[in-house]
Amino acid sequence: MKSNFRNYFLMFVLLLISAPVFAADNDAALWKNANQLYVQKSYDSAARIYETLLKTNEGNAQLHYNTGNAYFRSNKIGLAVLHYEKAARLDPSNKEISDNLLLARSKVQDNMQETNPIFFVAWWNALNHAINVDMWAIVTLIIFLAVLSLLYFARMKKGSFSNAGRWISLCVAIFLLCGTMTWISYNEFAHPGKAVVITTNAVFLQTPQSNGKVIGSLPEGLVIEILKKQDGFYNVALQNGKSGWIAATEIGEV
């Protein structure tokens, strides 16, 4: 009896150990098959296999990139932009991904009239996007160390630092500003709230109702900002400042 229990237990352990290996081998086979189909110009079939792989490899930038390529070749611009955006988010320094994303977005027929933001909004957006979150964090750390140094020298050498309070106040103000920008940049990076229109001429509504007043239509591949979700609809904002509602089935979250 004990011998049978030990054998079953060993078999169970072996299954647990070998399961990831079998899964990896299966993924490798699917990856190879999808790449072969892509080379053979069977782009739709390749995209379906890539999508299958993404179910367990959502954080793989190369896989999103390949999926985007397959959809782009199939002339499904919305899905291509969606996966290029996800790939760029996972691997922002990859030039091939950024180049293909720009190419795909250039195919989007955006007929919504754009308006220029108020000057201080434009300045804020430019400042926020000019430096990435890592650089803001480094600058914040440097300013913090400068504050500590000033506090130290102000205490140790009071005679040489008659205006130390003024400099410390300035550094603290800059530190708080940089810290705020770091938090904002990180929040946008971690939770960008972006989505892509994946259907042709998606209906843009005034209210979260399928029979609501129609504002217009959004082109496939358009990148929009998600504001909130409600009853199967998304409240979204366009780059021109307009906002409205769109059905969840017509967009894909980045």
Side-chain angles (χ1 to χ4, degrees):
M1 187 72 178
K2 291 183 178 179
S3 177
N4 289 336
F5 174 79
R6 185 169 56 252
N7 291 336
Y8 287 135
F9 178 76
L10 289 173
M11 289 176 62
F12 176 73
V13 172
L14 287 172
L15 284 172
L16 286 178
I17 295 173
S18 59
V21 177
F22 290 146
D25 289 343
N26 185 52
D27 284 355
L30 287 173
W31 178 272
K32 182 178 180 180
N33 188 22
N35 291 341
Q36 289 176 342
L37 288 168
Y38 183 89
V39 172
Q40 295 167 4
K41 300 184 179 180
S42 297
Y43 302 120
D44 286 328
S45 298
R48 282 194 293 270
I49 297 177
Y50 288 138
E51 289 281 15
T52 300
L53 287 168
L54 281 171
K55 292 178 181 178
T56 53
N57 298 276
E58 179 62 27
N60 189 318
Q62 183 63 43
L63 187 50
H64 280 293
Y65 174 68
N66 284 19
T67 309
N69 287 340
Y71 280 128
F72 184 81
R73 293 290 187 177
S74 300
N75 202 33
K76 296 177 180 177
I77 302 302
L79 289 169
V81 172
L82 175 62
H83 286 284
Y84 285 146
E85 286 280 358
K86 289 184 177 183
R89 177 172 166 74
L90 292 166
D91 189 3
S93 62
N94 191 308
K95 189 175 185 302
E96 288 185 359
I97 293 174
S98 59
D99 287 346
N100 281 26
L101 174 58
L102 287 174
L103 177 61
R105 292 185 69 169
S106 71
K107 303 291 184 181
V108 178
Q109 301 297 321
D110 186 2
N111 297 319
M112 304 295 287
Q113 185 178 2
E114 292 194 5
T115 57
N116 294 324
I118 302 173
F119 71 94
F120 60 81
V121 175
W123 290 352
W124 175 262
N125 290 335
L127 177 63
N128 192 26
H129 292 95
I131 307 176
N132 61 32
V133 61
D134 291 334
M135 187 57 67
W136 277 119
I138 292 172
V139 172
T140 302
L141 177 60
I142 291 172
I143 298 300
F144 177 70
L145 293 176
V147 171
L148 291 181
S149 299
L150 284 171
L151 288 171
Y152 173 77
F153 284 111
R155 182 167 182 173
M156 299 301 294
K157 300 181 180 181
K158 295 181 180 179
S160 303
F161 282 84
S162 57
N163 295 321
R166 187 179 304 170
W167 286 105
I168 291 172
S169 298
L170 177 61
C171 285
V172 168
I174 295 174
F175 169 74
L176 292 174
L177 174 62
C178 291
T180 301
M181 293 304 299
T182 301
W183 180 83
I184 292 173
S185 296
Y186 175 77
N187 193 51
E188 285 196 356
F189 175 79
H191 307 286
K194 287 201 302 183
V196 178
V197 178
I198 59 175
T199 59
T200 305
N201 296 323
V203 181
F204 195 41
L205 301 163
Q206 196 170 56
T207 58
Q209 299 168 324
S210 56
N211 59 350
K213 182 180 178 180
V214 176
I215 300 174
S217 61
L218 302 181
E220 181 183 3
L222 183 69
V223 178
I224 52 183
E225 179 186 356
I226 297 173
L227 302 178
K228 62 180 178 180
K229 308 174 187 179
Q230 180 180 324
D231 301 328
F233 288 84
Y234 283 79
N235 185 210
V236 301
L238 310 184
Q239 292 182 353
N240 59 14
K242 294 181 180 179
S243 62
W245 295 84
I246 185 172
T249 54
E250 297 196 285
I251 64 173
E253 291 189 60
V254 175

